[in-house]
Amino acid sequence: MGDDTVEPTSIARNIGAILDDNMSFEEHVNDLCKTAFYHIRNISRIRPCLSIDSTKTLVHVLVMSRLDHCNSLLYGLPDYLIQRLQYVMNAAAKVITCKQKLDHVTPLLIELHWLPVRQRIIFKILLYTFKALHGAAPTYLTELISPYVPRRALRSADQLLLEQPTHKLKLTGLRAFSVCAPYLWNSVPFEIKSSASVSIFKAKLKTYLFRQAYF
């Protein structure tokens, strides 16, 4: 009889994300960068034949959508991993605007109105939080957060704050949605949190994060 023993693996792929046994997401970042740069190189080869709008469409479909897919899982990653993803975005911006490798990238990102990678991650988490609070998110997310209810009458009671739970693990605990969502949500101005709709919330939040990132 053959040996049917299955060797354990340290990584697994699920809904497009590569999960490793330490939840470091290093393999995920490596794979994402490799694929994204492959597409950026191909787009750069045909860039002279493309209009700027066509280039933006290709970059969005082949590069930016990959950066944004499951990016809420990347909150709290070390700076060097976030920076690698930022290099991908920088290269994509230069392809669109026909700039050289050594050209300063910040003005290009502002021109394209792109949030940096770190702010895009925060944007996604806060969007999920807003939807969860308004019954537009899966139950498993809604159950992870709860409104802050002070024991006595305080001015903070009407600020749409969330309960901030304690956590045990210094690194991975901070990255849990139940921990990072309240932390990020409570730091957002009331004007944004009290938005009347998802579309209004998204517009106000992007403007807020954009100003934080560049100005």
Side-chain angles (χ1 to χ4, degrees):
M1 296 178 63
D3 187 359
D4 294 330
T5 302
V6 177
E7 292 294 331
T9 179
S10 60
I11 60 173
R13 187 185 293 271
N14 188 27
I15 59 170
I18 299 177
L19 311 176
D20 58 84
D21 51 2
N22 293 318
M23 295 300 286
S24 70
F25 286 95
E26 189 155 1
E27 287 291 333
H28 176 77
V29 171
N30 289 342
D31 182 73
L32 195 159
C33 291
K34 180 180 178 181
T35 303
F37 277 122
Y38 168 80
H39 289 301
I40 290 171
R41 285 192 297 269
N42 285 340
I43 294 171
S44 67
R45 292 189 181 104
I46 61 173
R47 178 63 182 92
C49 304
L50 299 172
S51 68
I52 187 168
D53 288 337
S54 297
T55 309
K56 285 181 178 179
T57 299
L58 280 176
V59 167
H60 173 74
V61 172
L62 298 175
V63 180
M64 301 302 291
S65 62
R66 296 176 188 275
L67 285 178
D68 290 338
H69 182 65
C70 294
N71 65 343
S72 59
L73 298 174
L74 308 181
Y75 179 78
L77 289 190
D79 289 343
Y80 78 94
L81 289 178
I82 298 297
Q83 188 57 51
R84 290 189 61 192
L85 297 174
Q86 188 62 52
Y87 289 148
V88 170
M89 180 182 289
N90 295 351
K94 290 178 180 179
V95 167
I96 290 175
T97 55
C98 296
K99 298 298 182 181
Q100 300 301 312
K101 183 176 181 180
L102 297 180
D103 287 338
H104 190 41
V105 74
T106 299
L108 309 181
L109 299 178
I110 293 174
E111 177 185 342
L112 293 168
H113 209 63
W114 285 359
L115 290 173
V117 169
R118 191 178 301 279
Q119 279 70 28
R120 295 173 88 89
I121 293 170
I122 293 173
F123 179 92
K124 183 69 71 65
I125 294 172
L126 288 172
L127 178 58
Y128 285 154
T129 305
F130 182 86
K131 288 183 175 181
L133 291 172
H134 292 79
T139 304
Y140 64 83
L141 284 183
T142 305
E143 293 175 346
L144 294 176
I145 56 177
S146 57
Y148 170 68
V149 181
R151 295 182 180 179
R152 55 191 178 88
L154 297 173
R155 190 161 54 182
S156 61
D158 60 352
Q159 294 302 302
L160 301 180
L161 300 177
L162 294 179
E163 190 72 39
Q164 185 71 58
T166 58
H167 52 88
K168 295 181 180 180
L169 300 179
K170 184 176 181 181
L171 295 178
T172 55
L174 287 170
R175 291 165 53 191
F177 182 80
S178 59
V179 177
C180 70
Y183 171 76
L184 294 172
W185 180 263
N186 291 348
S187 67
V188 172
F190 176 80
E191 179 190 359
I192 299 175
K193 292 186 289 189
S194 59
S195 297
S197 67
V198 172
S199 59
I200 294 174
F201 176 79
K202 290 169 66 175
K204 289 183 176 181
L205 180 61
K206 183 174 181 180
T207 299
Y208 172 73
L209 294 175
F210 193 83
R211 289 173 178 169
Q212 279 195 329
Y214 297 120
F215 303 105

